[in-house]
Amino acid sequence: MTGRILVGVDGSGAARLALAWALEEAALRRSALEAVIVWESPDDLPRDFYYPVDEKKLAERASARLAEAVAAVPARGPVALETLVLEGDPAETLCRHAVGADLLVVGSRGRGTFAGLLLGSVSSKCA
């Protein structure tokens, strides 16, 4: 392996396209590929009321979405693929984890909330 590519996956169609492209690019470059899903706790978001959150279930759902996406996109060559489930703000977490990577790949549109649209997408924040 000669490099490292990081791809953000959120279960959306655009993220699956990004994953397919990243798999192909990793095979061409003979690079390791890290497929990362980032989940965000509702406790980290501004709320006017409190409600209990099962963060373990949120992490499990994120892990299942990542596994489904990886299973749905076959590799086009030998690629060392690692999957990671991380918690935090998606853009900040991906950018922080991408330090030292040769390439960060994200889809053009994902599963963001309406508030996320007002703040800008993960791709624009990472750019």
Side-chain angles (χ1 to χ4, degrees), residues 44-64:
D44 296 337
L45 302 173
R47 300 281 182 202
D48 293 333
F49 56 91
Y50 174 79
Y51 60 94
V53 174
D54 187 342
E55 291 190 344
K56 183 179 178 184
K57 281 189 180 180
L58 290 175
E60 288 171 354
R61 287 181 188 149
S63 181

Side-chain angles (χ1 to χ4, degrees), residues 25-111:
E25 191 67 17
L28 290 171
R29 293 182 183 215
R30 294 185 177 102
S31 295
L33 180 64
E34 294 177 11
V36 179
I37 191 165
V38 181
W39 63 275
E40 190 169 18
S41 172
D43 288 342
D44 296 337
L45 302 173
R47 300 281 182 202
D48 293 333
F49 56 91
Y50 174 79
Y51 60 94
V53 174
D54 187 342
E55 291 190 344
K56 183 179 178 184
K57 281 189 180 180
L58 290 175
E60 288 171 354
R61 287 181 188 149
S63 181
R65 270 200 318 269
L66 179 57
E68 288 170 9
V70 168
V73 181
R76 296 203 176 180
V79 174
L81 175 65
E82 181 181 358
T83 58
L84 299 168
V85 179
L86 303 173
E87 190 272 333
D89 173 78
E92 290 175 15
T93 303
L94 284 173
C95 288
R96 189 172 45 252
H97 194 72
V99 170
D102 298 309
L103 186 63
L104 171 61
V105 181
V106 295
S108 60
R109 189 115 197 222
R111 292 182 176 264

